[in-house]
Amino acid sequence: MTRTPIDPVKLDKLAEVAIRVGLQLAEGQDLVLTGPSTALPLIRKIAEHAYKAGAGVVTPIISDEEVILARYRHANAASFDKAANWLYEGMASAFSRNAARLAIAGDNPMMLAGQDPAKVARANKANSMAYKPALEKITGFDVNWNIVAYPSPAWAKQVFPDDAEDVAIEKLANAIFAASRVDLADPISAWKEHNANLKKRWSWLNAHAFASLAYTGPGTDVTIGLADGHQWKGGASQSKNGITCNPNIPTEEVFTTPHALRVEGYVSSTKPLSHNGTLIDGIRVKFEGGRIVEAKATKGEDVLNKVMDTDEGGRRIGEVALVPHSSPISQSGILFYNTLFDENAASHIALGQCYADCFINGKSLTPEQIQAQGGNKSLIHIDWMIGSDKIDIDGIKADGSRVPVMRKGEWATA
Ligand code: ZN
Ligand code: ZN
């Protein structure tokens, strides 16, 4: 028997946590599962746990790096404005029939690094447009959904470039297992406790009903207005089909919807952002009336500006999230080159689409009502990290009074 760098017991626990904590898959529920071909061992384990939990039909949709690169190498020009609309229509149809959604992250973060940025942008745009009907059912939280990660070889080498491949995979696997709490004796009850802690934080924020948050720190001096009727969330939450799930594994954030028109000042990023194979670093933007009127980056500035020009909402923000600097992912000191992990290492904001569920009665609001209350609308949703141990955040109430929320990157209250 050959030794595998990925602990099979922990991998099995990760699959179990994805089904029982992440999705809380219901008896008889179908499951649409997406992931890279490199993640087949986890895809198989997830299918096993899904059927053990009573799944109807599990349908895996597998992507492959070589197939994607073949397109960039050999496809004709017209290919880059096309997308598999039929597939996304099918996914949207599955979600309207109450299928759950599970995505496995683990793609090579630098997969498209050497490709023509114009082709990448066109292909992404075509894909985003085709994906929209299905994505709206996820962002609108129609069904229970979940993302977990798998330590694919190229990703592992990106995170640990100085190690041999099997060592890098083992290190990344262990980092994923720790962050996903599957290295603990009882991951299911560990998640219950973690969800309760997150609930304590978002309940406190909701009770204060701040009108805005003011951030100060190196390169950052910004006031972020919060949307009218916003509510804070984090950890487990209930989807429209009545199932309480944990969409992100791992997760350390509490988050809400900012007001698309009420952001003023300067923000600097505190960690690099890996976006479709490009590393964007040293971001510094200026907001006026909620819109980014100036964006600079020491690396990837072109890509940043291009992606923000996807549509009108691409230069406005749709999410504001708070993560203490002491979060386990932050303390691991690892840059994962993957938003699922890196966004949980620091407080962040996201360019683009807001989450309808971050409004009081959000599930029953129309897209027009959400927009009227300040929710942003865009084809993109890109999180970037603005938190560190040097950031102070105050909550500002409607009457102008201020309450400390975070000091030096940590919660200001016990
Ligand atoms: Zn977030
Ligand atoms: Zn986000």
Side-chain angles (χ1 to χ4, degrees), residues 253 319 339 343 348 350 355 381-383:
E253 60 173 345
E319 179 193 340
T339 303
E343 76 159 347
H348 56 272
Y355 284 103
H381 178 98
I382 299 171
D383 298 273

Side-chain angles (χ1 to χ4, degrees), residues 356-371:
D357 211 32
C358 286
F359 286 92
I360 296 163
N361 297 324
K363 292 183 184 81
S364 55
L365 296 178
T366 64
E368 292 71 29
Q369 287 169 319
I370 285 168
Q371 215 171 351

Side-chain angles (χ1 to χ4, degrees), residues 248 251 253-255 319-323 339 343-344 346 348-350 355 381 383:
N248 288 356
T251 187
E253 60 173 345
V254 293
F255 58 101
E319 179 193 340
V320 49
L322 302 176
V323 178
T339 303
E343 76 159 347
N344 284 302
H348 56 272
I349 52 178
Y355 284 103
H381 178 98
D383 298 273

Side-chain angles (χ1 to χ4, degrees), residues 3 9 12 28 46 54 84 106 110 148 151 188 195 201 204 207 212-213 228 258 269 310 364 373 375 390:
R3 179 185 166 277
V9 175
D12 185 68
I46 284 171
M110 303 310 279
V148 285
I188 310 278
N195 279 325
R201 295 300 175 193
W204 183 86
S212 60
L213 297 178
D228 300 328
S269 64
T310 302
S364 55
Q373 289 182 221
K390 294 176 186 68

Side-chain angles (χ1 to χ4, degrees), residues 139-155:
T139 55
F141 219 3
D142 284 28
V143 294
N144 42 331
W145 61 272
N146 170 242
I147 309 180
V148 285
Y150 183 82
S152 297
W155 180 23

Side-chain angles (χ1 to χ4, degrees), residues 54-398:
V57 176
V58 179
T59 304
I61 300 168
I62 295 169
S63 61
D64 180 73
E65 178 167 348
E66 285 305 316
V67 173
I68 292 166
L69 290 176
R71 183 186 189 193
Y72 283 92
R73 292 186 189 119
H74 309 295
N76 62 35
S79 168
F80 297 94
D81 297 314
K82 288 185 177 167
N85 294 65
W86 58 270
L87 175 68
Y88 296 122
E89 283 158 18
M91 283 172 76
S93 161
F95 301 149
S96 29
R97 290 157 207 233
N98 199 37
R101 163 94 167 102
L102 202 154
I104 298 172
D107 279 323
N108 177 3
M110 303 310 279
M111 176 165 60
L112 299 177
Q115 305 306 320
D116 175 1
K119 280 185 184 171
V120 174
R122 279 164 61 200
N124 282 341
K125 187 170 184 180
N127 206 61
S128 300
M129 284 165 69
Y131 189 26
K132 203 177 167 213
L135 184 64
E136 276 176 355
K137 296 197 189 303
I138 298 303
T139 55
F141 219 3
D142 284 28
V143 294
N144 42 331
W145 61 272
N146 170 242
I147 309 180
V148 285
Y150 183 82
S152 297
W155 180 23
K157 279 296 284 177
Q158 169 82 23
V159 179
F160 300 104
D162 301 332
D163 291 302
E165 189 174 272
D166 61 336
V167 176
I169 291 172
E170 184 170 11
K171 282 186 178 175
L172 181 59
N174 290 338
I176 290 171
F177 294 147
S180 308
R181 294 180 159 73
V182 299
D183 60 338
L184 303 171
D186 185 354
I188 310 278
S189 47
W191 272 97
K192 277 204 181 98
E193 191 187 324
H194 182 47
N195 279 325
N197 286 334
L198 291 170
K199 185 177 180 180
K200 186 180 103 181
R201 295 300 175 193
W202 58 251
S203 303
W204 183 86
L205 288 159
N206 283 337
H208 280 285
F210 294 120
S212 60
L213 297 178
Y215 295 61
T216 48
T220 292
D221 187 356
V222 70
T223 302
I224 298 179
L226 301 178
D228 300 328
H230 73 274
Q231 68 174 355
W232 290 86
K233 299 182 66 96
S237 76
Q238 198 186 49
S239 55
K240 279 183 203 166
N241 65 4
I243 296 174
T244 297
C245 65
N246 257 95
N248 288 356
I249 292 196
T251 187
E252 301 290 338
E253 60 173 345
V254 293
F255 58 101
T256 194
T257 299
H259 198 293
L261 309 178
R262 298 179 193 155
V263 189
E264 305 289 341
Y266 291 90
V267 182
S268 293
S269 64
T270 50
K271 285 172 187 287
L273 152 70
S274 170
H275 178 69
N276 289 330
T278 306
L279 202 66
I280 307 173
D281 200 5
I283 303 172
R284 183 176 161 82
V285 303
K286 182 186 182 187
F287 284 96
E288 275 177 18
R291 191 166 188 276
I292 292 174
V293 293
E294 200 180 287
K296 297 213 179 306
T298 52
K299 246 186 231 162
E301 185 177 308
D302 275 10
V303 174
L304 175 66
N305 276 293
K306 253 198 195 96
V307 76
M308 287 196 304
D309 286 333
T310 302
D311 52 25
E312 168 53 31
R315 284 185 177 266
R316 298 180 186 274
I317 60 173
E319 179 193 340
V320 49
L322 302 176
V323 178
H325 184 69
S326 58
S327 100
I329 297 174
S330 171
Q331 292 305 303
S332 78
I334 298 170
L335 177 65
F336 285 86
Y337 298 91
N338 181 298
T339 303
L340 179 60
F341 289 81
D342 292 328
E343 76 159 347
N344 284 302
S347 292
H348 56 272
I349 52 178
L351 297 168
Q353 181 66 37
C354 73
Y355 284 103
D357 211 32
C358 286
F359 286 92
I360 296 163
N361 297 324
K363 292 183 184 81
S364 55
L365 296 178
T366 64
E368 292 71 29
Q369 287 169 319
I370 285 168
Q371 215 171 351
Q373 289 182 221
N376 193 33
K377 197 181 148 189
S378 173
L379 289 172
I380 65 167
H381 178 98
I382 299 171
D383 298 273
W384 53 287
M385 282 46 86
I386 64 170
S388 73
D389 58 354
K390 294 176 186 68
I391 296 277
D392 290 342
I393 304 173
D394 277 358
I396 306 175
K397 297 195 179 186

